[in-house]
Amino acid sequence: MSVGVLFTQGLVTGDPHAVLGEILEQAQAADRLGFSAALTTEHKYSEEYFGSPLHLAYAIAARTQRVKVGTAIAIAPLYNPVELAQDSAMLDQLSGGRAWLGLGVGYMPVDYSTVGVGWEDRAQRFDETVRILRAAHTQDRFSFADEIYSFDDVSVIPKPVRPEGVPLHLAAWTPGGLRRAGRLADGWITNALMSLPTMSAMAADYRAAAEAHGRTPHVTSIRFCWPYTSREAALEKFGDTALAMARTLFDYGAITDLPGVTSSAEITLEEFVQDRFVFGTPDECVETIGRFRDEAGVDDFLMIFRYPTGPDHAAVLEAMELFGTEVLPALEGSARERPAVPA
């Protein structure tokens, strides 16, 4: 089991040049502290998130030596699939084989209208894009024809470092999406705020699909995270921004497993700390992560320490330092002591 970092900042966090510099500094901290990845995400029309996630991943790759670099997620249907294959292969070469590509369909029509891509055929476009990426990365030349895309005798240059191509992990929240991840992908990515029971049920469906297609299942869980030594200080730094982010995502339609909740104003921090956030002392963080690993069979985690509105950069670096020095070593010891979770 490994733990990486996911960056979710945008214009509302501050001056874009300054915030991007802070992301690069946090990525360097992740590399130094023993995190496994420093990944980016996107929306195409949002002041809360930057777009162009692969461009930012290039910059992260240039400033790090060890962490995986790439996306969790890029909205795959919004890209020309051959260009996406070229750009991700270039990232893999630049980073010395560290590229990791998390892809999703997205859930906001405005992302599609912003770049002039149709919303209605997004699932088919996504499916074809994943298949084209795999062919482009693993075949010297390939041809492809389906409902959306048609390519004849195409070669992507350069190829990725690894002959099997850049790892492709798919985000999904629906039965069809989980089946697609099992059929086509190297792994499944959860969303950041699904509850532990929801994740466990979806993970079981995904594993069944992966095994049916002869693939080894792999579950990556995105979680909001804040370790602390002082609960009062943590609530001040983390509480309001995390709760605001949860409420925003509920309004976006990204949280669908809150029975009885009809308004984002009804959401409480306590509710999310219970089985959605990784929040607490280092020992409590280890225990929470262990529950997700043991009950949902999570293989890897991507932690979000900073949301579009905060906490501030210095506090994030402090939280990452605490996690890296006290939580990560404890997780390594815990992993050695516990048996593997059955697939």
Side-chain angles (χ1 to χ4, degrees):
M1 184 183 67
S2 63
V3 180
V5 181
L6 177 60
F7 303 111
T8 62
Q9 285 75 73
L11 297 178
V12 296
T13 315
D15 172 74
H17 179 73
V19 173
L20 289 166
E22 290 169 355
I23 290 173
L24 296 177
E25 187 176 345
Q26 290 167 27
Q28 290 174 297
D31 202 46
R32 171 178 58 83
L33 289 166
F35 288 91
S36 62
L39 304 179
T40 61
T41 190
E42 72 170 330
H43 281 293
K44 292 301 187 189
Y45 184 81
S46 172
E47 292 187 348
E48 295 173 338
Y49 292 80
F50 290 125
S52 304
L54 281 171
H55 294 80
L56 181 53
Y58 293 150
I60 291 172
R63 289 163 175 79
T64 56
Q65 298 295 320
R66 187 187 52 77
V67 289
K68 297 171 188 173
V69 292
T71 63
I73 52 90
I75 306 173
L78 305 186
Y79 294 82
N80 177 289
V82 171
E83 285 189 311
L84 184 57
Q86 289 174 330
D87 290 346
S88 54
M90 181 66 79
L91 176 64
D92 201 48
Q93 287 289 347
L94 285 169
S95 65
R98 291 185 284 135
W100 194 96
L101 205 56
L103 303 172
V105 178
Y107 55 89
M108 297 179 66
V110 68
D111 285 324
Y112 283 72
S113 62
T114 295
V115 296
V117 174
W119 172 255
E120 292 74 16
D121 60 4
R122 64 193 182 281
Q124 179 68 23
R125 193 177 292 271
F126 185 44
D127 192 287
E128 292 184 27
T129 294
V130 175
R131 287 185 282 137
I132 291 166
L133 282 166
R134 189 78 73 185
H137 283 171
T138 60
Q139 299 177 31
D140 181 46
R141 309 191 71 83
F142 76 98
S143 297
F144 181 93
D146 206 326
E147 295 179 22
I148 307 293
Y149 296 110
S150 178
F151 298 102
D152 183 42
D153 195 29
V154 171
S155 182
V156 163
I157 301 171
K159 289 287 186 291
V161 172
R162 291 155 289 186
E164 67 273 18
V166 174
L168 304 179
H169 295 252
L170 305 189
W173 310 343
T174 66
L178 293 168
R179 289 193 297 270
R180 181 185 299 110
R183 174 169 53 91
L184 296 176
D186 298 303
W188 168 57
I189 307 172
T190 78
N191 77 11
L193 285 171
M194 63 173 57
S195 68
L196 177 53
T198 297
M199 186 187 302
S200 298
M202 289 189 176
D205 290 344
Y206 155 69
R207 285 193 192 90
E211 290 163 2
H213 287 88
R215 292 189 172 278
T216 301
H218 190 100
V219 176
T220 299
S221 177
I222 300 175
R223 296 288 92 180
F224 287 174
C225 179
W226 199 257
Y228 63 72
T229 54
S230 164
R231 185 175 180 85
E232 182 179 57
L235 289 172
E236 179 183 349
K237 287 288 185 183
F238 170 91
D240 288 345
T241 55
L243 185 56
M245 190 63 194
R247 288 173 172 171
T248 296
L249 289 172
F250 180 87
D251 289 337
Y252 283 170
I255 305 173
T256 58
D257 59 347
L258 280 171
V261 175
T262 59
S263 165
S264 59
E266 300 172 25
I267 296 173
T268 65
L269 183 63
E270 291 73 19
E271 183 174 29
F272 277 76
V273 167
Q274 183 177 355
D275 71 350
R276 299 172 195 260
F277 290 159
V278 176
F279 178 76
T281 65
D283 285 345
E284 289 169 338
C285 288
V286 171
E287 190 275 333
T288 299
I289 291 168
R291 283 194 293 118
F292 278 94
R293 177 196 60 204
D294 296 343
E295 295 182 30
V298 175
D299 296 290
D300 297 314
F301 290 85
L302 295 172
M303 300 302 186
I304 302 173
F305 290 95
R306 192 183 199 187
Y307 323 103
T309 54
D312 64 83
H313 176 54
V316 170
L317 288 176
E318 184 178 346
M320 290 177 64
E321 189 82 26
L322 179 61
F323 195 102
T325 56
E326 297 197 26
V327 179
L328 287 181
L331 288 173
E332 291 174 3
S334 176
R336 286 193 295 269
E337 294 167 5
R338 292 173 182 255
V341 176

